Amino acid sequence: MATILIVSGSPSPEAPTAVLLRQVSDLLKGHEVHLLSVRDLPTVALLSGDLLDPAIRNAIDLVDRADGVIVASPVYRAAYSGLVQSLLNLLRKTALTGKVVLPLANGGTQGHLVAIDYALRPLLAARGATDVVPGHFVLDADVSTPSPELAGVVRRFAGALKENPGLATAS
């Protein structure tokens, strides 16, 4: 059983990203799954980089303890959310080294698909992510219906964790 952290850049609990992540959580039964909704972190501490704030410290500890990290964001104007950016800015440069990482995104049009490879993936790489499972994009209109494609992506992510059981401790 792997420890998986799902980082949510969703602006609200009912936004499409949050709906998508409930489906992902269900697909990860059998693993220890933690959800970190960045919107719930204290705003001033998050934006000022207050690493001594207990909630910020806990968020960083969750990343450190995870074997796998799923980073999910709505896409606005071909870019990930500022919530995701704010949290990842607080992490040390090697925070994702040795972890299996899955980028997920959702947006209003297929044109937003490029945000995964051209915006989110480089941001993850800047935090040391080298074992990145190919990302997955879901149209907002399709979020409410679980898809076989999403299930396949989550299986691939879970499989990567099984193939590399010592990966997270190798860093």
Side-chain angles (χ1 to χ4, degrees), residues 16-92:
T17 306
V19 173
L20 178 65
L21 291 180
R22 284 193 287 276
Q23 295 169 22
V24 170
S25 259
D26 289 344
L27 292 167
L28 289 168
K29 297 243 187 277
H31 295 283
E32 181 183 339
V33 178
H34 301 273
L35 175 65
L36 173 58
S37 295
V38 182
R39 73 175 173 274
D40 293 336
L41 294 174
T43 306
V44 172
L46 179 66
L47 295 178
S48 67
D50 182 359
L51 300 178
L52 298 178
D53 181 273
I56 299 298
R57 185 74 247 147
N58 182 58
I60 292 170
D61 289 344
L62 285 170
V63 173
D64 288 344
R65 289 193 313 261
D67 300 309
V69 178
I70 297 172
V71 177
S73 176
V75 176
Y76 307 111
R77 297 189 174 117
Y80 46 80
S81 79
L83 288 170
V84 167
Q85 174 78 52
S86 296
L87 177 68
L88 292 179
N89 282 347
L90 299 181
L91 301 178
R92 69 186 189 293

Side-chain angles (χ1 to χ4, degrees), residues 64 66 92 94-99 128 166-171:
D64 288 344
R92 69 186 189 293
T94 58
L96 298 178
T97 301
K99 300 178 187 309
L167 189 64
T169 58
S171 58

Side-chain angles (χ1 to χ4, degrees), residues 106-119:
N106 62 280
T109 71
Q110 282 291 73
H112 290 130
L113 173 66
V114 300
I116 291 176
D117 286 331
Y118 294 104

